[in-house]
Every structure is written in structure tokens, then in C-alpha cells.
């Protein structure tokens, strides 16, 4: 019989994904923000071009994370009077 710690449900990734999908998505997006410039450098892109790509990716990632959090709060009904919900 396999050890209980080896069960797929016991993995850290499975627990983390179930707990907060927005954080998981943000982590993967941050990984992409690091990976894309590295790949561009490896394939010979200019340093200036890589800098701008990294900056734009970071800005888009931050904006998407902000929008996901706002959407999550709105779906939970946590918005105050400014969100259109009664106080």
C-alpha cells in the first residue's frame, strides 16, 4: 500500500490550487514574466527590447492580478456602497 504522503491529494500544489486560484495564476504569470526575457536573451534579442518586453509583461500581469482580485471580491459580495451593493 502506498504511503499516504505520496497520494496526489497530499501534494502542496493540489492544496495551493484549491485554496487560492488567483494566487496560483499570479505565480504562473510571474514565472512567465521571468522566463520570456530569458528566452529572448538566449535567442539574441537586444537588451533594450528585452527590457521593454519585461516591463510590459510585468505591467499586464499586475493589472490582471488586480482585476482578478476585484472580480473575486465582487463575486463574494464584499464591495461597499461604491460597488453598487447596499451597505
Amino acid at each position: 500500500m502506498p504511503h499516504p504522503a505520496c497520494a496526489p491529494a497530499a501534494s502542496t500544489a493540489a492544496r495551493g490550487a484549491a485554496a487560492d486560484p488567483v494566487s496560483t495564476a499570479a505565480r504562473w504569470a510571474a514565472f512567465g514574466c521571468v522566463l520570456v526575457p530569458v528566452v529572448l536573451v538566449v535567442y539574441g534579442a537586444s537588451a533594450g527590447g528585452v527590457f521593454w518586453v519585461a516591463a510590459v509583461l510585468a505591467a499586464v500581469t499586475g493589472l490582471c492580478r488586480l482585476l482578478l482580485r476585484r472580480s473575486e471580491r465582487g463575486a463574494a459580495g464584499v464591495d461597499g456602497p461604491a460597488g453598487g451593493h447596499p451597505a
Side-chain angles (χ1 to χ4, degrees), residues 16-87:
D20 190 8
V22 173
S23 291
T24 302
R27 237 179 276 124
W28 277 108
F31 173 72
C33 286
V34 172
L35 182 65
V36 169
V38 169
V39 169
L40 289 173
V41 167
V42 167
Y43 281 98
S46 69
V50 170
F51 170 77
W52 285 111
V53 167
V56 169
L57 281 173
V60 169
T61 299
L63 181 63
C64 288
R65 185 171 188 271
L66 174 74
L67 292 172
L68 281 168
R69 287 289 181 194
R70 287 186 68 188
S71 171
E72 190 177 54
R73 283 194 310 259
V78 183
D79 283 346
H85 298 287

